């Protein structure tokens, strides 16, 4: 019993400790003062209440949204690497809506902008879903390409239709104060978006565990062939819905980032939140509630890395190495634990479902063979 | 140079690193392993190319870049093949690792500002007579050595895959690892070799970027080429010759921006930056069903060896 309870915590903890050891080693090899760097990291992440609120939690918010997006998709057996693009789609659209609606709308305008962001993220993911379901294009390839396309589209928007009035800087005008997410703690940057993210996580957990569509989503991810034949589940429909839901959550994250933190659209709005999100989701073992904790861990790491760069001149890129190590150690610990198929949702082994998306014609694949 | 010749030249230039990377990935995917960590191998090849250029000269640095790509592939192989982890997730981590390591190492090696360093580059070698052919001459026959290397690798890889015994084992592994095993082939050994070759090609692609084209390093300069190469493999229907055509197509789409700049059209350049990706997605959608991925592509290695 104790072992059953301990294991879900033990592995992520082990992954983090090993990854921090790697960070320490890297710091030492690169000639930085280890104690100075790590204490800067700690101060930047948890040094004071104000740092926790303005740094760690503010950083954790988009990571939680994007991490949930990844977790929902992975649970459905969809390898959505496109949270980055979906997040930007949400941010761009929310900005556009905020520019159009009258500030007198106040709260209603804010809600509209956030919803528009979620819809845009869902639609952008929908393209990848359509490409997979209708045209048999691997979603890994399509989502990554769509990320690049959206990055350039955002670049286009902030230099064209959405550029600030003077036309000098590649960014949008600031959105009206009435359309911003309220601050939670005066004097910090902590905004109401963090509550929205937590609500999303709890909602996603409830949806996956307690509802019939959530059950169908999990079954589809675990074994689409069995889900279709034994469960009578319309796997294509579930895949489409899960993909769009995943994109919508990421899009909402982008909208929240604009309405709560940046107040304007920038090309480099996201420092790769959509990719870090994969580490967030995996560390949480694709569990939405656990993703809250995991997002805080990575939020702290990113906030701490900024401080480390500022105070100890350590390149912030080192955090990317730590994130990669977390993923690799988790993958390795899965093997060490000797539980083949322990992560049912990640065990796409041998395309057991007969899903070879690129052939698009495999007769025994429910995904490919379902009537159009 | 005329606008057309310049366009063709730019097309071949953009296509070269993509083709190198795509050839390696073709081999790896033929063995049933999709390596999304290719991007990581490329960026590590870029930085290694720069770092080794002064000491080893451009040719030696290119080899060093290839070796660095192999190292990244080793990490991928240990986790994805040795520990039988999910290939896509492992590959994503390897890409993050490569981007993070190079970003860090660049600043550590060359200082906070990352002083603009320039590496000695490989000069174009003109092939007598052929380089004087109008329009296509300079694009095809007046290029730096890596372009010729890539061009020679196309038939070589094709021959290896389709005419040699080890190529047959490799393809069998990618189609049906269990059957390959029962005929005395070790899928893990074959897949590891294929992945290492893929890493070598990825590293060479990165080295080519720095040593034959840009002449310096910038953080994240691989700019998604590893992912493009994976798309090119699918577009080229898992065939080296197809990959060559797909790489050239993508190169031409990228080079369009030069052509349109010459034509002086007032279109935002972001459109041209996004265009190759959109075209690739459309091409992938259109060609569906007319090609076949190796049946066991992406399959986790069986732990019961």
């Amino acid at each position: 019993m104790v072992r059953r309870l301990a294991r879900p915590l033990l592995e992520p903890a082990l992954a983090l400790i090993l990854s921090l050891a790697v960070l320490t080693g890297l710091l030492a090899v690169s000639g930085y003062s280890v104690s100075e760097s790590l204490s800067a990291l700690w101060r930047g992440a948890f040094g004071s209440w104000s740092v926790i609120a303005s740094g760690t939690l503010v950083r954790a918010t988009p990571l939680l949204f994007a991490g949930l997006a990844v977790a929902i998709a992975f649970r459905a057996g969809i390898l959505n690497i496109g949270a980055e693009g979906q997040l930007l789609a949400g941010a761009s659209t929310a900005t556009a809506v905020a520019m159009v609606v009258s500030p007198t709308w106040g709260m209603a305008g804010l809600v509209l902008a956030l919803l528009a962001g979620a819809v845009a993220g869902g639609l952008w993911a929908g393209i990848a879903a359509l490409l997979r379901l209708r045209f048999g294009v691997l979603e890994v390839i399509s989502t990554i390409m769509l990320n690049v396309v959206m990055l350039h589209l955002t670049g286009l928007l902030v230099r064209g239709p959405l550029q600030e009035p003077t036309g000098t800087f590649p960014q949008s005008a600031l959105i009206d104060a009435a359309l911003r997410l309220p601050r939670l703690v005066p004097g910090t940057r902590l905004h109401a978006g963090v509550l929205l993210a937590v609500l999303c996580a709890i909602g996603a957990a409830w949806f996956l565990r307690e509802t019939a569509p959530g059950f169908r989503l999990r079954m589809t991810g675990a074994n689409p062939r069995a889900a279709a034949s034994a469960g009578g589940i319309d796997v294509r429909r579930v895949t489409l819905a899960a993909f769009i839901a995943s994109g919508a959550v990421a899009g909402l994250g982008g909208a929240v980032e604009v309405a709560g933190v940046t107040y304007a659209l920038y090309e480099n709005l996201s420092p790769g939140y959509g990719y870090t999100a994969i580490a967030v989701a995996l560390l949480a073992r694709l569990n939405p509630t656990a993703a809250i904790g995991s997002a805080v861990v990575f939020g702290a790491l990113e906030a701490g890395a900024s401080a480390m760069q500022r105070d100890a001149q350590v390149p912030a890129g080192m955090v990317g190495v730590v994130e990669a190590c977390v993923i690799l150690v988790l993958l390795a610990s899965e093997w060490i634990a000797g539980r083949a198929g322990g992560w049912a949702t990640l065990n796409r082994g041998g395309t057991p479902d007969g899903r070879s998306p690129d052939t698009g014609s495999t007769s025994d694949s429910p995904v490919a063979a379902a009537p159009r | 140079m005329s606008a057309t010749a310049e366009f063709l030249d730019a097309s071949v230039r953009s296509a070269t690193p993509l083709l190198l990377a795509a050839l390696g990935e073709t081999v790896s995917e033929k063995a049933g392993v999709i390596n999304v960590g290719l991007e990581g191998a490329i960026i590590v090849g870029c930085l290694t190319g720069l770092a080794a250029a002064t000491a080893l000269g451009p040719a030696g640095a290119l080899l060093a870049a290839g070796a660095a790509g192999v190292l990244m592939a080793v990490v991928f192989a240990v986790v994805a093949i040795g520990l039988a982890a999910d290939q896509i997730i492992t590959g994503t981590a390897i890409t993050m690792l490569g981007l993070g390591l190079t970003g860090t190492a660049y600043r550590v090696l060359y200082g906070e500002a990352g002083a603009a360093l320039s590496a000695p580059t490989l000069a174009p070698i003109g092939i007598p007579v052929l380089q004087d052919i109008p329009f296509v001459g300079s694009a095809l026959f007046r290029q730096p050595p890596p372009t010729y290397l890539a061009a020679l690798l196309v038939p070589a890889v094709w021959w290896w895959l389709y005419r040699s015994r080890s190529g047959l084992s490799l393809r069998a592994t990618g189609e049906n690892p269990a059957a390959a095993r029962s005929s005395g082939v070790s899928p893990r050994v074959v897949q590891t070799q294929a992945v290492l070759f893929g890493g070598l090609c990825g590293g060479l692609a990165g080295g080519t970027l720095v040593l034959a084209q840009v002449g310096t390093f910038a953080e994240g300069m691989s700019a998604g080429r590893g992912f493009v190469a994976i798309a090119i493999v699918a577009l080229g229907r898992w065939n080296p010759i197809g990959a060559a055509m797909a790489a050239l197509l993508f190169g031409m789409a990228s080079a369009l921006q030069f052509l349109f700049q010459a034509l002086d059209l007032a279109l935002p350049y972001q459109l041209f930056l996004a265009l190759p990706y959109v075209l690739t997605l459309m091409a992938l959608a259109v060609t569906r069903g007319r090609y076949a991925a190796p049946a066991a592509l992406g399959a986790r290695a069986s732990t019961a060896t």
Side-chain angles (χ1 to χ4, degrees), chain A residues 24-124:
Chain A
T24 311
L26 263 178
L27 285 168
V29 168
S30 314
Y32 295 103
S33 155
V34 172
S35 59
E36 192 192 332
S37 308
L38 289 183
S39 80
L41 180 81
W42 178 260
R43 268 182 283 118
F46 298 111
S48 67
W49 286 110
S50 115
V51 160
I52 293 175
S54 298
T56 297
L57 292 181
V58 167
R59 291 277 195 148
T61 303
L63 288 177
L64 180 51
F65 278 115
L68 288 172
V70 171
I72 292 169
F74 280 20
R75 289 288 281 264
I78 303 162
L79 285 168
N80 178 9
I81 315 288
E84 183 79 2
Q86 291 141 19
L87 189 138
L88 281 177
S92 306
T93 310
T95 310
V97 169
M99 294 297 141
V100 173
V101 301
S102 156
T104 53
W105 287 33
M107 204 55 155
L110 171 65
V111 171
L112 191 68
L114 294 181
L115 281 180
V119 169
L123 287 178
W124 197 247

Side-chain angles (χ1 to χ4, degrees), chain A residues 268-289:
Chain A
N268 52 359
L269 180 94
S270 162
Y273 289 134
Y275 299 105
T276 306
I278 298 167
V280 170
L282 289 182
L283 188 65
R285 318 194 60 178
L286 308 186
N287 177 330
T289 338

Side-chain angles (χ1 to χ4, degrees), chain A residues 342-363:
Chain A
W343 286 1
T345 43
L346 289 182
N347 186 11
R348 310 179 312 120
T351 47
D353 46 6
R355 174 173 88 87
S356 38
D358 276 296
T359 59
S361 57
T362 321
S363 58

Side-chain angles (χ1 to χ4, degrees), chain A residues 130-277:
Chain A
L130 186 80
L131 282 170
R132 165 167 157 188
L133 293 173
R134 262 205 88 92
F135 299 102
V137 179
L138 272 173
E139 71 269 23
V140 175
I141 297 177
S142 62
T143 49
I144 289 173
M145 307 230 109
L146 287 168
N147 285 348
V148 182
V149 173
M150 185 44 78
L151 188 65
H152 290 315
L153 275 182
T154 312
L156 187 75
L157 286 173
V158 295
R159 288 185 184 79
L162 286 181
Q163 191 169 28
E164 43 86 32
T166 69
T168 338
F169 302 104
Q171 64 183 68
S172 75
L174 290 180
I175 61 173
D176 194 274
L179 301 173
R180 296 174 188 175
L181 279 163
R183 291 268 162 90
L184 286 183
V185 183
T188 72
R189 294 165 64 215
L190 191 64
H191 55 88
V194 69
L195 298 181
L196 213 53
V198 171
L199 274 178
C200 254
I202 295 169
W206 171 80
F207 172 82
L208 286 175
R209 206 173 36 227
E210 307 287 346
T211 70
F215 176 76
R216 287 198 285 271
L217 186 150
R218 285 186 286 131
M219 287 306 103
T220 302
N223 188 339
R225 202 177 343 184
S229 61
I233 292 171
D234 185 345
V235 168
R236 289 172 58 87
R237 239 183 87 183
V238 172
T239 303
L240 179 68
F243 220 143
I244 290 176
S246 163
V249 173
L252 180 60
V256 164
E257 193 65 3
V258 167
V261 181
T262 63
Y263 302 142
L265 184 65
Y266 299 88
E267 202 171 2
N268 52 359
L269 180 94
S270 162
Y273 289 134
Y275 299 105
T276 306

